[in-house]
PDB file of all heavy atoms in Angstrom:
ATOM      1  N   LEU A  76     107.707  68.961  28.400  1.00 89.00           N
ATOM      2  CA  LEU A  76     108.558  70.120  28.659  1.00 89.00           C
ATOM      3  C   LEU A  76     109.652  70.199  27.598  1.00 89.00           C
ATOM      4  O   LEU A  76     110.035  69.192  27.008  1.00 89.00           O
ATOM      5  CB  LEU A  76     109.182  70.008  30.052  1.00 89.00           C
ATOM      6  CG  LEU A  76     108.199  69.901  31.229  1.00 89.00           C
ATOM      7  CD1 LEU A  76     108.939  69.503  32.498  1.00 89.00           C
ATOM      8  CD2 LEU A  76     107.447  71.213  31.432  1.00 89.00           C
ATOM      9  N   ASN A  77     110.145  71.399  27.366  1.00 86.00           N
ATOM     10  CA  ASN A  77     111.220  71.561  26.389  1.00 86.00           C
ATOM     11  C   ASN A  77     112.405  70.662  26.717  1.00 86.00           C
ATOM     12  O   ASN A  77     112.881  70.621  27.853  1.00 86.00           O
ATOM     13  CB  ASN A  77     111.700  73.013  26.351  1.00 86.00           C
ATOM     14  CG  ASN A  77     110.832  73.896  25.482  1.00 86.00           C
ATOM     15  OD1 ASN A  77     110.382  74.947  25.917  1.00 86.00           O
ATOM     16  ND2 ASN A  77     110.582  73.483  24.241  1.00 86.00           N
ATOM     17  N   GLY A  78     112.846  69.889  25.735  1.00 85.00           N
ATOM     18  CA  GLY A  78     113.981  68.991  25.916  1.00 85.00           C
ATOM     19  C   GLY A  78     113.594  67.593  26.324  1.00 85.00           C
ATOM     20  O   GLY A  78     114.460  66.721  26.457  1.00 85.00           O
ATOM     21  N   LEU A  79     112.295  67.333  26.505  1.00 85.00           N
ATOM     22  CA  LEU A  79     111.814  66.007  26.879  1.00 85.00           C
ATOM     23  C   LEU A  79     110.745  65.559  25.887  1.00 85.00           C
ATOM     24  O   LEU A  79     110.042  66.380  25.291  1.00 85.00           O
ATOM     25  CB  LEU A  79     111.236  66.011  28.299  1.00 85.00           C
ATOM     26  CG  LEU A  79     112.197  66.333  29.440  1.00 85.00           C
ATOM     27  CD1 LEU A  79     111.431  66.412  30.761  1.00 85.00           C
ATOM     28  CD2 LEU A  79     113.310  65.303  29.537  1.00 85.00           C
ATOM     29  N   GLY A  80     110.602  64.236  25.735  1.00 77.00           N
ATOM     30  CA  GLY A  80     109.570  63.717  24.851  1.00 77.00           C
ATOM     31  C   GLY A  80     109.707  64.268  23.447  1.00 77.00           C
ATOM     32  O   GLY A  80     110.783  64.252  22.858  1.00 77.00           O
ATOM     33  N   ASP A  81     108.604  64.806  22.917  1.00 79.00           N
ATOM     34  CA  ASP A  81     108.588  65.332  21.555  1.00 79.00           C
ATOM     35  C   ASP A  81     108.885  66.819  21.468  1.00 79.00           C
ATOM     36  O   ASP A  81     108.962  67.368  20.364  1.00 79.00           O
ATOM     37  CB  ASP A  81     107.220  65.062  20.909  1.00 79.00           C
ATOM     38  CG  ASP A  81     106.963  63.582  20.691  1.00 79.00           C
ATOM     39  OD1 ASP A  81     107.917  62.877  20.320  1.00 79.00           O
ATOM     40  OD2 ASP A  81     105.823  63.134  20.910  1.00 79.00           O
ATOM     41  N   SER A  82     109.021  67.495  22.605  1.00 85.00           N
ATOM     42  CA  SER A  82     109.303  68.930  22.585  1.00 85.00           C
ATOM     43  C   SER A  82     110.795  69.172  22.386  1.00 85.00           C
ATOM     44  O   SER A  82     111.631  68.511  23.006  1.00 85.00           O
ATOM     45  CB  SER A  82     108.832  69.589  23.886  1.00 85.00           C
ATOM     46  OG  SER A  82     107.425  69.507  24.011  1.00 85.00           O
ATOM     47  N   THR A  83     111.119  70.127  21.534  1.00 82.00           N
ATOM     48  CA  THR A  83     112.518  70.412  21.247  1.00 82.00           C
ATOM     49  C   THR A  83     113.174  71.134  22.411  1.00 82.00           C
ATOM     50  O   THR A  83     112.516  71.755  23.242  1.00 82.00           O
ATOM     51  CB  THR A  83     112.655  71.259  19.980  1.00 82.00           C
ATOM     52  OG1 THR A  83     111.909  72.485  20.157  1.00 82.00           O
ATOM     53  CG2 THR A  83     112.115  70.515  18.774  1.00 82.00           C
ATOM     54  N   GLU A  84     114.476  71.040  22.463  1.00 82.00           N
ATOM     55  CA  GLU A  84     115.241  71.639  23.559  1.00 82.00           C
ATOM     56  C   GLU A  84     115.368  73.137  23.358  1.00 82.00           C
ATOM     57  O   GLU A  84     115.494  73.620  22.232  1.00 82.00           O
ATOM     58  CB  GLU A  84     116.626  71.000  23.629  1.00 82.00           C
ATOM     59  CG  GLU A  84     117.414  71.381  24.864  1.00 82.00           C
ATOM     60  CD  GLU A  84     118.689  70.560  24.996  1.00 82.00           C
ATOM     61  OE1 GLU A  84     118.880  69.649  24.170  1.00 82.00           O
ATOM     62  OE2 GLU A  84     119.477  70.844  25.924  1.00 82.00           O
ATOM     63  N   CYS A  85     115.333  73.874  24.465  1.00 73.00           N
ATOM     64  CA  CYS A  85     115.520  75.321  24.399  1.00 73.00           C
ATOM     65  C   CYS A  85     116.996  75.652  24.211  1.00 73.00           C
ATOM     66  O   CYS A  85     117.869  74.958  24.738  1.00 73.00           O
ATOM     67  CB  CYS A  85     115.031  75.989  25.694  1.00 73.00           C
ATOM     68  SG  CYS A  85     113.258  76.113  25.812  1.00 73.00           S
ATOM     69  N   GLU A  86     117.261  76.694  23.474  1.00 64.00           N
ATOM     70  CA  GLU A  86     118.631  77.172  23.336  1.00 64.00           C
ATOM     71  C   GLU A  86     119.038  77.943  24.590  1.00 64.00           C
ATOM     72  O   GLU A  86     118.239  78.644  25.197  1.00 64.00           O
ATOM     73  CB  GLU A  86     118.763  78.078  22.102  1.00 64.00           C
ATOM     74  CG  GLU A  86     118.496  77.364  20.787  1.00 64.00           C
ATOM     75  CD  GLU A  86     118.666  78.288  19.604  1.00 64.00           C
ATOM     76  OE1 GLU A  86     118.993  79.467  19.833  1.00 64.00           O
ATOM     77  OE2 GLU A  86     118.455  77.830  18.464  1.00 64.00           O
ATOM     78  N   ASN A  87     120.296  77.815  24.959  1.00 61.00           N
ATOM     79  CA  ASN A  87     120.859  78.551  26.098  1.00 61.00           C
ATOM     80  C   ASN A  87     120.077  78.310  27.385  1.00 61.00           C
ATOM     81  O   ASN A  87     119.870  79.221  28.183  1.00 61.00           O
ATOM     82  CB  ASN A  87     120.910  80.052  25.797  1.00 61.00           C
ATOM     83  CG  ASN A  87     121.694  80.357  24.537  1.00 61.00           C
ATOM     84  OD1 ASN A  87     122.749  79.763  24.300  1.00 61.00           O
ATOM     85  ND2 ASN A  87     121.187  81.276  23.727  1.00 61.00           N
ATOM     86  N   ALA A  88     119.614  77.070  27.584  1.00 60.00           N
ATOM     87  CA  ALA A  88     118.881  76.723  28.807  1.00 60.00           C
ATOM     88  C   ALA A  88     119.823  76.021  29.764  1.00 60.00           C
ATOM     89  O   ALA A  88     120.142  74.849  29.596  1.00 60.00           O
ATOM     90  CB  ALA A  88     117.695  75.834  28.474  1.00 60.00           C
ATOM     91  N   SER A  89     120.306  76.733  30.769  1.00 66.00           N
ATOM     92  CA  SER A  89     121.269  76.155  31.708  1.00 66.00           C
ATOM     93  C   SER A  89     120.599  75.561  32.937  1.00 66.00           C
ATOM     94  O   SER A  89     121.149  74.677  33.583  1.00 66.00           O
ATOM     95  CB  SER A  89     122.287  77.222  32.150  1.00 66.00           C
ATOM     96  OG  SER A  89     121.618  78.322  32.749  1.00 66.00           O
ATOM     97  N   ASP A  90     119.406  76.016  33.272  1.00 79.00           N
ATOM     98  CA  ASP A  90     118.687  75.548  34.461  1.00 79.00           C
ATOM     99  C   ASP A  90     117.354  74.970  34.004  1.00 79.00           C
ATOM    100  O   ASP A  90     116.439  75.716  33.632  1.00 79.00           O
ATOM    101  CB  ASP A  90     118.476  76.695  35.438  1.00 79.00           C
ATOM    102  CG  ASP A  90     117.900  76.229  36.775  1.00 79.00           C
ATOM    103  OD1 ASP A  90     117.327  75.119  36.823  1.00 79.00           O
ATOM    104  OD2 ASP A  90     118.016  76.971  37.765  1.00 79.00           O
ATOM    105  N   PHE A  91     117.238  73.636  34.052  1.00 82.00           N
ATOM    106  CA  PHE A  91     116.025  73.008  33.523  1.00 82.00           C
ATOM    107  C   PHE A  91     114.798  73.366  34.349  1.00 82.00           C
ATOM    108  O   PHE A  91     113.687  73.442  33.808  1.00 82.00           O
ATOM    109  CB  PHE A  91     116.183  71.485  33.443  1.00 82.00           C
ATOM    110  CG  PHE A  91     115.054  70.828  32.717  1.00 82.00           C
ATOM    111  CD1 PHE A  91     114.997  70.855  31.331  1.00 82.00           C
ATOM    112  CD2 PHE A  91     114.019  70.204  33.402  1.00 82.00           C
ATOM    113  CE1 PHE A  91     113.934  70.269  30.646  1.00 82.00           C
ATOM    114  CE2 PHE A  91     112.966  69.616  32.732  1.00 82.00           C
ATOM    115  CZ  PHE A  91     112.925  69.650  31.339  1.00 82.00           C
ATOM    116  N   SER A  92     114.960  73.592  35.652  1.00 87.00           N
ATOM    117  CA  SER A  92     113.804  73.941  36.470  1.00 87.00           C
ATOM    118  C   SER A  92     113.194  75.260  36.012  1.00 87.00           C
ATOM    119  O   SER A  92     111.965  75.424  36.017  1.00 87.00           O
ATOM    120  CB  SER A  92     114.196  74.024  37.951  1.00 87.00           C
ATOM    121  OG  SER A  92     115.127  75.071  38.175  1.00 87.00           O
ATOM    122  N   VAL A  93     114.035  76.199  35.570  1.00 89.00           N
ATOM    123  CA  VAL A  93     113.533  77.478  35.054  1.00 89.00           C
ATOM    124  C   VAL A  93     112.750  77.245  33.773  1.00 89.00           C
ATOM    125  O   VAL A  93     111.671  77.819  33.560  1.00 89.00           O
ATOM    126  CB  VAL A  93     114.702  78.460  34.816  1.00 89.00           C
ATOM    127  CG1 VAL A  93     114.211  79.728  34.126  1.00 89.00           C
ATOM    128  CG2 VAL A  93     115.388  78.813  36.127  1.00 89.00           C
ATOM    129  N   VAL A  94     113.279  76.380  32.897  1.00 87.00           N
ATOM    130  CA  VAL A  94     112.589  76.041  31.650  1.00 87.00           C
ATOM    131  C   VAL A  94     111.240  75.397  31.947  1.00 87.00           C
ATOM    132  O   VAL A  94     110.221  75.740  31.336  1.00 87.00           O
ATOM    133  CB  VAL A  94     113.458  75.097  30.792  1.00 87.00           C
ATOM    134  CG1 VAL A  94     112.677  74.596  29.580  1.00 87.00           C
ATOM    135  CG2 VAL A  94     114.730  75.792  30.351  1.00 87.00           C
ATOM    136  N   ALA A  95     111.215  74.447  32.879  1.00 90.00           N
ATOM    137  CA  ALA A  95     109.985  73.723  33.197  1.00 90.00           C
ATOM    138  C   ALA A  95     108.902  74.659  33.715  1.00 90.00           C
ATOM    139  O   ALA A  95     107.744  74.604  33.267  1.00 90.00           O
ATOM    140  CB  ALA A  95     110.280  72.631  34.222  1.00 90.00           C
ATOM    141  N   ILE A  96     109.256  75.527  34.638  1.00 92.00           N
ATOM    142  CA  ILE A  96     108.273  76.456  35.203  1.00 92.00           C
ATOM    143  C   ILE A  96     107.799  77.437  34.138  1.00 92.00           C
ATOM    144  O   ILE A  96     106.612  77.782  34.069  1.00 92.00           O
ATOM    145  CB  ILE A  96     108.866  77.177  36.429  1.00 92.00           C
ATOM    146  CG1 ILE A  96     109.108  76.160  37.556  1.00 92.00           C
ATOM    147  CG2 ILE A  96     107.938  78.293  36.908  1.00 92.00           C
ATOM    148  CD1 ILE A  96     109.892  76.711  38.723  1.00 92.00           C
ATOM    149  N   ARG A  97     108.708  77.864  33.266  1.00 90.00           N
ATOM    150  CA  ARG A  97     108.309  78.741  32.158  1.00 90.00           C
ATOM    151  C   ARG A  97     107.338  78.032  31.227  1.00 90.00           C
ATOM    152  O   ARG A  97     106.344  78.609  30.790  1.00 90.00           O
ATOM    153  CB  ARG A  97     109.544  79.204  31.382  1.00 90.00           C
ATOM    154  CG  ARG A  97     109.209  80.208  30.270  1.00 90.00           C
ATOM    155  CD  ARG A  97     110.452  80.608  29.528  1.00 90.00           C
ATOM    156  NE  ARG A  97     110.972  79.491  28.754  1.00 90.00           N
ATOM    157  CZ  ARG A  97     112.238  79.394  28.363  1.00 90.00           C
ATOM    158  NH1 ARG A  97     113.120  80.313  28.711  1.00 90.00           N
ATOM    159  NH2 ARG A  97     112.630  78.363  27.644  1.00 90.00           N
ATOM    160  N   ASN A  98     107.610  76.754  30.922  1.00 91.00           N
ATOM    161  CA  ASN A  98     106.695  75.982  30.073  1.00 91.00           C
ATOM    162  C   ASN A  98     105.310  75.893  30.685  1.00 91.00           C
ATOM    163  O   ASN A  98     104.294  76.015  29.976  1.00 91.00           O
ATOM    164  CB  ASN A  98     107.234  74.579  29.849  1.00 91.00           C
ATOM    165  CG  ASN A  98     108.374  74.491  28.863  1.00 91.00           C
ATOM    166  OD1 ASN A  98     109.088  73.499  28.820  1.00 91.00           O
ATOM    167  ND2 ASN A  98     108.573  75.523  28.046  1.00 91.00           N
ATOM    168  N   ILE A  99     105.238  75.645  31.981  1.00 95.00           N
ATOM    169  CA  ILE A  99     103.947  75.552  32.659  1.00 95.00           C
ATOM    170  C   ILE A  99     103.167  76.853  32.509  1.00 95.00           C
ATOM    171  O   ILE A  99     101.970  76.853  32.189  1.00 95.00           O
ATOM    172  CB  ILE A  99     104.142  75.196  34.142  1.00 95.00           C
ATOM    173  CG1 ILE A  99     104.687  73.766  34.279  1.00 95.00           C
ATOM    174  CG2 ILE A  99     102.834  75.330  34.922  1.00 95.00           C
ATOM    175  CD1 ILE A  99     105.154  73.405  35.679  1.00 95.00           C
ATOM    176  N   ARG A 100     103.850  77.969  32.674  1.00 94.00           N
ATOM    177  CA  ARG A 100     103.175  79.266  32.541  1.00 94.00           C
ATOM    178  C   ARG A 100     102.779  79.528  31.094  1.00 94.00           C
ATOM    179  O   ARG A 100     101.708  80.097  30.826  1.00 94.00           O
ATOM    180  CB  ARG A 100     104.073  80.375  33.076  1.00 94.00           C
ATOM    181  CG  ARG A 100     104.454  80.188  34.535  1.00 94.00           C
ATOM    182  CD  ARG A 100     105.018  81.437  35.152  1.00 94.00           C
ATOM    183  NE  ARG A 100     103.967  82.408  35.411  1.00 94.00           N
ATOM    184  CZ  ARG A 100     104.110  83.441  36.244  1.00 94.00           C
ATOM    185  NH1 ARG A 100     105.257  83.622  36.878  1.00 94.00           N
ATOM    186  NH2 ARG A 100     103.129  84.289  36.441  1.00 94.00           N
ATOM    187  N   GLU A 101     103.611  79.124  30.144  1.00 92.00           N
ATOM    188  CA  GLU A 101     103.266  79.282  28.727  1.00 92.00           C
ATOM    189  C   GLU A 101     102.009  78.492  28.386  1.00 92.00           C
ATOM    190  O   GLU A 101     101.143  78.976  27.638  1.00 92.00           O
ATOM    191  CB  GLU A 101     104.422  78.812  27.851  1.00 92.00           C
ATOM    192  CG  GLU A 101     105.624  79.739  27.839  1.00 92.00           C
ATOM    193  CD  GLU A 101     106.816  79.143  27.090  1.00 92.00           C
ATOM    194  OE1 GLU A 101     106.817  77.918  26.846  1.00 92.00           O
ATOM    195  OE2 GLU A 101     107.742  79.903  26.768  1.00 92.00           O
TER     196      GLU A 101
END
Side-chain angles (χ1 to χ4, degrees):
L76 302 168
N77 277 128
L79 297 175
D81 293 321
S82 295
T83 58
E84 190 171 355
C85 284
E86 296 181 0
N87 304 318
S89 58
D90 188 340
F91 189 78
S92 64
V93 173
V94 173
I96 294 171
R97 184 181 69 203
N98 284 163
I99 292 169
R100 301 195 74 162
E101 287 173 344

